[in-house]
Amino acid sequence: MEDHARAPPIVESIPEERCRELTDTIGVWVGKSSRVLLRLVGRRATSFPGLLALRVSPRLMRRLGRQLRSCTVVTGTNGKTTTSVMLATVFRSKGPCVHNASGANLRQGLMNALITSADWRGRLRADRAVFEVDEATLPLVAADLPIDFVAVTNVFRDQLDRYGEIDTALQLIIDGIRRTRATAVLNADDPLARHIGLRCGRPTVYFGMARQLARPPEREQTRDGEACLRCGHRLRYDGYFYGQLGLYWCSHCRFARPPLDFTGLYDGTALHVTEGRSGPETYELPVRGLFNAYNALCAIAVARLNGFRPAEIAAALKRYRGPAGRMQVFATEPVSILSLIKNPAGCDSILQAICREPGPKVLCVAINDRAADGRDVSWLWDADWELVPERCGVAQCVTTGTRAEDMAVRLKYAGYPTGRIETTPDLEDGIRRALRAARALGGLPVHVLTTYTALHEAARILESLAAEAAAPERP
Amino acid sequence: MLNLYADRGNVQTLLRRCEWRGLHAHVTPVRRHDEVRLRDYHLVLIGGGSDREQALVAEALRRRRREWKAAVEDGLPVLAVCGGYQLLGEYYQLPDGTKVPGLELLDLVTTAGRPRLIGNIAIESPEVGTVVGFENHGGRTVHRHAPLGTVLRGHGNNGRDGYEGVRYRNVVGTYIHGPLLPKNPRLADFLLSLAAAYAGVAVDFPPLDDELEWAAHRAFLTRHAGVRGPR
Ligand SMILES: [Zn+2]
């Protein structure tokens, strides 16, 4: 072993720095060629080439990263993908931008995005980057990338499952930010994100929603364990936006929602953003739902901090195409919003988001029971459809899909008036009827909820109906 | 009404159908260690859980086996679905041969088998007509009582003898969930009338507007079960 360690390096004649460069170049080559190979065999290459490249050359991320002029990472529990894709869309309006594929938010996923943007000699073809980063990955890449902004969308408690403790998740983010020289862009309405802001030791910028959007606390279920992270006393709320996001303050110490640098007022179609005393600037949103408005607000804040003008951001957001089925907006007549529902928890969160949308609306629910949906639709009875008659402001319902009739029964037993339920198994007929009802009611928005196998068909139908609406009237 | 691991949909259906007729019903969910006085109830719903949960429930309930037996013989209406259905019998035999003892209310035994019997099911019951839903069970059940119905489509008790479920006094046991009652309003009302009779209250059950329920029932028969059954 000793002998081996003392053996002269094979590439003795090449100076050390030159040798490193060579290794890095080989790393780029390995990464890029494995990408090409994977493409040839028809695989999606979002992480594996990055993993290989990191194996060959561990310093490659730093080497490629330092070519960036601006680098933003987005982390948090929910909304990382939407926020970072929105931001990449804005950045790309001024030139190429490195961005990792949705979900590829570990180290190798970031590496892969860098390799993709690099030429075969290891030169980046972009000088901006925005990365979606897993909380646990942030500390691992903080030293290798010239991160100037770390955006934290929120820290929800469902991380408990993955990291064992909320403290661990928070600590990972705090450690990550401390290893950068970045400004932290934080969700002020989230007490956990505020805690990060107090502890990370970096400059902070806070975004949050306007007070008037908050709902009085009594409608929310009591949240156990909402304790002040500073002193352990119970947090109080003057109002809630959604989940733990709200107007919080500690009854014992001075922990409270901080003053906002970017204040969002969501009106159901647009977000009006006030920066300090200037504004508001209005941004039409390509998606609906308060959770998406938060994502847009976070993206807008980072884009503004990067020197983008409101008009540039607004124009870019219009081009944003979100992941299918997350309150995706279609320019039908009247407007329709498509959401995927596949289990009780996901369905409940969509229903709650619809309840939060202002004004009356029409609901179209498409339930299929094909193999990919699950043949058994009993889960419909575990989802909280009782919200529909109680709080959602639904003026009319259409149920459709192979289980249209079961869904109608579910709504009836949820307490929705049967006289306002239409049923048709044919998806296109269902969507057309919902839009017709919405027009008859004076142009109400139509929320289309579908199970997995109906999603893409619904999207296709809505797109063609939107094209019809956009076409000039024929004689 | 007592509710042990029951399907939310079944409970909801019974409650609404009482409410729509101006009847008052009260539901008590019961956990494993809760003390249950069966005398206080006019209808018991037992649903299914995981095998492990099921064994724990069986163990807890068995301590009051005599009381259960007496109540059932006395005419206590019971709706037992899936695991709850298996629980009514003598035992559930696991693949390794271990027998998990049941409540021994019925002359019924269940043996674990492969593959699981999964899919849409429709049966014809002499008392309430066609009953439709979904079944998903590994256990094969055989018993010496009357079945709830004969299988029109699906597997039923054991996938062999063409029968599904059990009927004994005021007990209804079945593998059909989906959930069972919303789409089978005749069965729901049958249970409610048993409960009313058992409670000693003279109420009649005026028919409700069940158009949506029957539409779902018929759609199921034609589109999903491929049978043209009468309602
Ligand atoms: Zn405090």
Side-chain angles (χ1 to χ4, degrees):
Chain A
M1 285 309 239
E2 282 295 297
D3 288 350
H4 189 84
R6 277 178 200 163
I10 302 163
V11 281
E12 199 184 13
S13 57
I14 305 171
E16 201 182 348
E17 176 58 19
R18 190 75 193 91
C19 174
R20 277 206 198 127
E21 270 174 34
L22 189 64
T23 321
D24 291 344
T25 310
I26 294 170
V28 175
W29 274 57
V30 167
K32 286 191 90 72
S33 25
S34 70
R35 224 182 115 74
V36 171
L37 284 175
L38 282 173
R39 282 266 172 86
L40 283 177
V41 297
R43 298 277 185 81
R44 231 166 74 89
T46 56
S47 288
F48 184 67
L51 189 66
L52 276 185
L54 281 169
R55 279 278 162 74
V56 174
S57 165
R59 289 161 300 118
L60 187 56
M61 181 175 275
R62 181 172 298 194
R63 189 133 201 136
L64 292 175
R66 72 180 177 208
Q67 300 173 45
L68 292 168
R69 189 166 54 87
S70 135
C71 180
T72 297
V73 299
V74 182
T75 192
T77 314
N78 300 328
K80 287 192 285 282
T81 303
T82 304
T83 305
S84 64
V85 174
M86 282 178 170
L87 209 40
T89 311
V90 175
F91 285 170
R92 280 178 181 151
S93 66
K94 278 196 181 173
C97 166
V98 183
H99 176 58
N100 53 335
S102 131
N105 55 19
L106 305 179
R107 204 158 171 253
Q108 53 265 39
L110 273 57
M111 192 63 230
N112 195 47
L114 285 164
I115 293 173
T116 310
S117 294
D119 63 16
W120 289 85
R121 296 160 80 180
R123 280 186 311 223
L124 277 191
R125 285 173 293 214
D127 59 1
R128 277 182 197 281
V130 51
F131 294 113
E132 161 194 346
V133 176
D134 182 270
E135 303 81 346
T137 302
L138 182 58
L140 305 178
V141 298
D144 289 340
L145 297 170
I147 301 170
D148 33 31
F149 295 101
V150 177
V152 181
T153 53
N154 49 56
V155 186
F156 274 112
R157 288 178 184 275
D158 59 6
Q159 282 186 324
L160 283 169
D161 292 342
R162 271 195 301 155
Y163 295 114
E165 269 184 282
I166 197 82
D167 292 345
T168 317
L170 284 175
Q171 202 54 51
L172 285 169
I173 298 176
I174 291 167
D175 287 349
I177 297 176
R178 280 192 172 166
R179 285 180 205 186
T180 68
R181 280 187 287 172
T183 296
V185 183
L186 303 162
N187 187 338
D189 300 341
D190 178 0
L192 298 173
R194 167 61 171 158
H195 182 73
I196 293 171
L198 290 172
R199 298 268 313 280
C200 70
R202 308 294 317 155
T204 52
V205 170
Y206 285 100
F207 63 91
M209 287 295 162
R211 287 188 81 88
Q212 62 258 49
L213 285 180
R215 282 192 308 191
E218 86 273 354
R219 275 304 305 186
E220 301 290 324
Q221 295 107 321
T222 42
R223 288 165 218 288
D224 41 24
E226 276 299 340
C228 171
L229 279 161
R230 221 199 222 169
C231 72
H233 283 73
R234 212 182 146 72
L235 276 190
R236 313 222 168 198
Y237 278 82
D238 291 336
Y240 284 99
F241 297 110
Y242 81 96
Q244 77 212 3
L245 308 186
L247 308 168
Y248 55 87
W249 52 279
C250 176
S251 52
H252 186 73
C253 70
R254 283 168 49 180
F255 184 80
R257 185 172 92 129
L260 304 179
D261 301 294
F262 291 86
T263 307
L265 181 58
Y266 172 58
D267 69 5
T269 57
L271 186 64
H272 310 279
V273 180
T274 312
E275 297 174 31
R277 279 197 208 134
S278 69
E281 296 287 346
T282 296
Y283 302 86
E284 294 293 329
L285 293 186
V287 278
R288 292 290 154 86
L290 192 59
F291 58 95
N292 276 324
Y294 266 104
N295 297 332
L297 181 60
C298 180
I300 290 165
V302 176
R304 291 287 295 133
L305 293 166
N306 271 282
F308 282 75
R309 290 200 306 272
E312 293 167 336
I313 299 169
L317 282 180
K318 280 196 186 130
R319 287 193 300 277
Y320 167 84
R321 287 291 166 268
R326 286 198 212 159
M327 295 194 102
Q328 192 184 1
V329 175
F330 291 84
T332 46
E333 185 50 47
V335 68
S336 49
I337 302 102
L338 178 63
S339 304
L340 171 69
I341 49 170
K342 50 185 178 184
N343 54 43
C347 183
D348 288 356
S349 75
I350 290 290
L351 290 174
Q352 280 155 13
I354 291 174
C355 291
R356 297 246 40 192
E357 295 290 289
K361 56 272 261 182
V362 169
L363 194 63
C364 175
V365 190
I367 304 296
N368 278 354
D369 65 347
R370 304 212 169 95
D373 303 296
R375 296 271 180 201
D376 182 6
V377 292
S378 16
W379 68 269
L380 289 178
W381 291 86
D382 296 321
D384 213 358
W385 296 99
E386 281 70 18
L387 285 172
V388 172
E390 284 167 15
R391 285 165 61 189
C392 283
V394 172
Q396 181 81 23
C397 278
V398 177
T399 66
T400 181
T402 56
R403 292 294 192 143
E405 293 85 357
D406 289 70
M407 189 59 226
V409 172
R410 179 66 189 92
L411 285 171
K412 175 181 178 179
Y413 282 86
Y416 194 79
T418 54
R420 289 197 266 142
I421 305 175
E422 277 185 79
T423 301
T424 171
D426 183 79
L427 182 60
E428 176 152 3
D429 185 40
I431 289 174
R432 283 183 183 274
R433 282 196 204 197
L435 285 166
R436 207 176 301 142
R439 277 193 295 274
L441 290 161
L444 303 184
V446 177
H447 282 272
V448 182
L449 274 53
T450 77
T451 55
Y452 185 75
T453 64
L455 182 71
H456 292 285
E457 202 186 338
R460 188 187 55 72
I461 294 165
L462 290 169
E463 244 152 47
S464 75
L465 290 172
E468 258 174 50
E473 299 228 353
R474 264 165 269 164
Chain B
M1 196 189 285
L2 173 65
N3 158 26
L4 300 149
Y5 289 104
D7 224 317
R8 184 172 157 193
N10 290 336
V11 179
Q12 183 94 331
T13 303
L14 293 170
L15 272 181
R16 290 283 188 195
R17 296 185 76 80
C18 285
E19 191 186 304
W20 291 332
R21 293 177 168 111
L23 303 172
H24 179 76
H26 184 73
V27 179
T28 320
V30 171
R31 307 248 158 265
R32 180 151 52 95
H33 293 294
D34 293 353
E35 282 291 310
V36 174
R37 289 197 315 172
L38 283 177
R39 278 175 275 155
D40 298 345
Y41 302 96
H42 303 130
L43 176 60
V44 175
L45 266 66
I46 313 176
S50 68
D51 279 0
R52 197 185 58 86
E53 284 173 326
Q54 206 62 49
L56 292 170
V57 171
E59 197 191 310
L61 291 184
R62 266 182 67 83
R63 276 180 237 130
R64 331 258 335 217
R65 201 169 62 76
R66 281 216 198 97
E67 199 187 322
W68 277 93
K69 182 80 184 162
V72 161
E73 293 302 324
D74 187 38
L76 172 70
V78 177
L79 171 64
V81 180
C82 300
Y85 171 37
Q86 297 167 343
L87 193 63
L88 302 178
E90 283 169 43
Y91 60 79
Y92 180 94
Q93 187 179 323
L94 298 172
D96 66 5
T98 326
K99 290 178 179 174
V100 181
L103 274 170
E104 296 175 53
L105 303 175
L106 303 179
D107 193 352
L108 175 152
V109 299
T110 304
T111 315
R114 275 171 176 275
R116 284 185 81 80
L117 305 176
I118 305 175
N120 291 324
I121 175 169
I123 66 167
E124 178 69 33
S125 142
E127 287 166 304
V128 296
T130 49
V131 177
V132 299
F134 197 85
E135 62 180 325
N136 181 353
H137 53 104
R140 268 65 168 172
T141 298
V142 289
H143 60 72
R144 284 182 224 275
H145 308 277
L148 176 61
T150 50
V151 175
L152 300 174
R153 160 78 196 267
H155 305 286
N157 282 338
N158 46 53
R160 289 188 306 271
D161 62 16
Y163 293 123
E164 160 53 29
V166 70
R167 278 287 291 116
Y168 173 75
R169 300 192 65 85
N170 289 339
V171 175
V172 173
T174 179
Y175 275 122
I176 306 179
H177 71 110
L180 173 66
L181 298 180
K183 266 198 309 254
N184 297 297
R186 269 184 77 183
L187 179 58
D189 284 354
F190 175 68
L191 288 167
L192 288 177
S193 62
L194 290 179
Y198 180 72
V201 279
V203 285
D204 52 339
F205 282 82
L208 298 170
D209 170 13
D210 289 335
E211 202 189 314
L212 290 182
E213 287 86 339
W214 287 119
H217 187 101
R218 280 193 304 269
F220 187 91
L221 281 177
T222 52
R223 284 212 303 274
H224 302 287
V227 281
R228 266 186 301 133
R231 58 182 252 189

